[in-house]
Amino acid sequence: MGLADLWGHHWAGILLAALLLTTWSPPAAVQFTLDANPLTTTEGEKDVVPSRSGTPWAPQTHGRFRDVELPGRPTISISQDTAIEQREQVTLYCDTKDANVTIHWFSNDLPLVFHERMLLSTDGKKLTILTVQREDSAAYKCKAQGFHQVQSSDPTFLTVNYGPDPFEIKLDSGVSSGEVVEVIEGSNVTFSVETQSHPPPAYSWFLNNNFTLSFTTRTFTIQAVSTEHEGTYRCLVSNLATQLLRLGALEVRVLEMLTKPHIVSPSLNLVESASSVTLTCQTSHKGAGVLWFLRGQALLPSKHLVLSADNRSLVIYGLQRDDTGPYECEVWHWGSQARSEPLTLTISYGPDRVDITRGAASGVVGTIRVELNSSLTLQCQAESQPGAKFHWTLEHSTTVYMGKHLIIGALTWEHQGIYNCTASNPLTHLARSTSVLVRVVGPRSSLSARVIAGIALGILTVIALPTGLGYFLYNRNARR
């Protein structure tokens, strides 16, 4: 074959291919897309692209050719749309007429998370929930994914009934069931129950097993509690759908409104260094706790301050003068307390060391020099409770001067000497003494007053003696 013949055959092939392209297009069932990814395709956006002949022949999405035919929309059937938690099994079936599709399951529009309570058939169409739980309540969908498109079913709803769960009866204070709750007489008390249940449960309240209260809600309030409200409260919670019953109980005690206690002291005359003193917190509330306070602060027990086992008594060992207080006791129970009036102890002590000062001067004196005919004030002092009683004495004299002060208006030589002051306490029966030496200074006369008086008396005696003797002799002679 020559070159011309080869050239002619070549052009003939080209013309034949062009003719085929203009007169034939592939059937819809075998149409294809360029670079298509069937797992990421979506429904919608089916833009029509004309063929080379000018007629629409294939859908396109963003330049990708699509299959004209879509898979059928699946439907879900469910064995039962209401189930009881932990008792029943539910089966969902995704029905689709298309072959070669993949089934995907969704719960509340999110991909279903499979767990050990779920079984899925080999073809993915049958979903079995072996033992339903409350978290299985949801809107379920299945989606059929073909080579090019995905179709979704309408939602199918599954409702799981459950409860009531175990619960506790609570009061406003938050005290749980199984404990004894104390409430104050006259207060308002609210009872409440918290439990999970679907559908919502029914409530019935009982007091002391034989008295049905009229409350049928999860909470109720008693206004102005009194002793007749004391007892064991029970609440019966029931769910007709699950046929479950739950019972809770709470014991309630009604406490009296606390009144102010009183501190009792065994004696009003307390003496320092006594062996012990007992203070008693007197109250009519037997079940109330007791706290003690010293000078406004919580009392801290020690070897010196000892509390009884029930805190009702406080024993003070080795009583000291600074144990005066004030003392308070407080009775309390849940929600209420009352405190006594403060008690201050009067503790007798002393007298301590006795000191003598000159007048109001603070310095203690042992010897005092004073001018003749001048005045002198001595003061005696001693620490004592109650205040000490004082008396003064001068040596070689039986005269006693009473009082804290000893005042001498005009000193003479006779005032010179040792003065003793004694302080005594009638309650402690203690007494202490001290002394001061008083020296009188000044010019002395040649004869003292006593000497002058003695001389005068002697002169009068000498004068009177001859006169009396003459009178005696005269009378004697006259009788003769």
Side-chain angles (χ1 to χ4, degrees), residues 422-451:
T422 300
S424 60
N425 187 326
L427 295 183
T428 63
H429 305 292
L430 295 177
R432 294 182 184 273
S433 299
T434 191
S435 62
V436 63
L437 172 61
V438 176
R439 294 183 181 275
V440 179
V441 296
R444 284 179 174 269
S445 60
S446 57
L447 295 175
S448 67
R450 287 185 180 180
V451 173

Side-chain angles (χ1 to χ4, degrees), residues 246-322:
R246 299 284 186 184
L247 184 66
L250 182 65
E251 184 178 350
V252 176
R253 291 179 184 171
V254 179
L255 302 177
E256 296 177 284
M257 183 65 71
L258 294 179
T259 56
K260 185 179 295 188
H262 174 68
I263 298 178
V264 178
S265 176
S267 172
L268 295 179
N269 297 323
L270 304 176
V271 178
E272 185 178 40
S273 300
S275 58
S276 65
V277 173
T278 301
L279 305 181
T280 302
C281 187
Q282 194 172 72
T283 176
S284 60
H285 307 288
K286 295 182 179 180
V290 177
L291 296 175
W292 286 87
F293 296 85
L294 173 59
R295 303 183 188 96
Q297 302 296 322
L299 185 143
L300 298 177
S302 64
K303 292 182 179 180
H304 180 58
L305 302 171
V306 179
L307 291 172
S308 62
D310 59 1
N311 278 15
R312 297 295 175 103
S313 297
L314 170 64
V315 182
I316 307 173
Y317 289 98
L319 192 67
Q320 300 298 318
R321 64 187 65 181
D322 58 354

